Amino acid sequence: MDIRAEREWLRQNGIRARQEISVEERERYSAIVAAQIMDSAWFQQAETVMLYQAMGAEVSLDTMTGRRFVYPKCTPGGTLLALQPLDEDAWERGAFGIYEPVPARSESVSPENIDLVICPCTAFDSRCARLGMGGGYYDRFLPQCKNAHIAAAAFSVQQTEKIPAQPWDWFMDAVFTESRVWYRTMVKT
């Protein structure tokens, strides 16, 4: 199996694994993951945290409070913007069906001003290698977050033995799951 096919197989397995968790368990596990993130020193020291709006069976971080939260907006050019919605009506469905901030009703935040980024995840390994949905949006955005800790939120069933990394992949500093927190043991290769 070539590397692209293997990555897609791992991505689909991770998506299927999280979809097989009951709605009740996903809500309970999501609350545990959110609590672990909020209890972390990284969160406690952060002023600005970038979250995501969960789609489908992703870990939901809706219970997180206490910080300035910014959210990603996918642009047609393949980049992410970090936006802080200014009111409850500052949301719309983006190109991928994900709820995103409306730029005209949000404050733009420079990536250098983000202290902690929490990324969505389809699969991860014990080295904190992460697979997203395959568009590369986060891999292009994260290098700009020079002052941030970078982590992913996932369910433990999404862990795989090893993700074949590509040169552009951005390893996480940690992966938060309902059963434990994985910290990076290898540097980006």
Side-chain angles (χ1 to χ4, degrees), residues 119-182:
C119 304
C121 182
T122 61
F124 72 96
D125 65 25
S126 62
R127 302 171 304 150
C128 294
R130 164 198 167 267
L131 279 178
M133 292 299 289
Y137 283 86
Y138 279 92
D139 291 319
R140 288 186 292 276
F141 178 77
L142 293 175
Q144 301 170 58
C145 301
K146 298 179 186 334
N147 301 310
H149 291 285
I150 311 297
F155 298 114
S156 58
V157 296
Q158 295 173 255
Q159 183 181 5
T160 189
E161 186 175 327
K162 184 175 182 185
I163 292 175
Q166 294 289 301
W168 56 83
D169 285 337
W170 197 265
F171 279 67
M172 304 288 98
D173 295 322
V175 178
F176 289 86
T177 74
E178 79 283 358
S179 61
R180 70 174 281 187
V181 179
W182 294 89

Side-chain angles (χ1 to χ4, degrees), residues 40-102:
S40 73
W42 295 342
F43 184 86
Q44 294 297 318
Q45 296 165 3
E47 290 181 21
T48 302
V49 177
M50 184 175 204
L51 299 180
Y52 61 88
Q53 287 289 329
M55 186 174 96
E58 290 177 333
V59 172
S60 172
L61 302 174
D62 289 347
T63 59
M64 293 182 63
T65 60
R67 294 294 176 268
R68 174 187 188 205
F69 294 118
V70 298
Y71 297 86
K73 167 79 175 168
C74 297
T75 68
T79 60
L80 283 183
L81 300 175
L83 300 174
Q84 179 185 7
L86 298 177
D87 59 54
E88 294 173 4
D89 297 324
W91 295 94
E92 66 185 357
R93 283 212 184 264
F96 302 102
I98 303 167
Y99 275 106
E100 298 178 330
V102 176

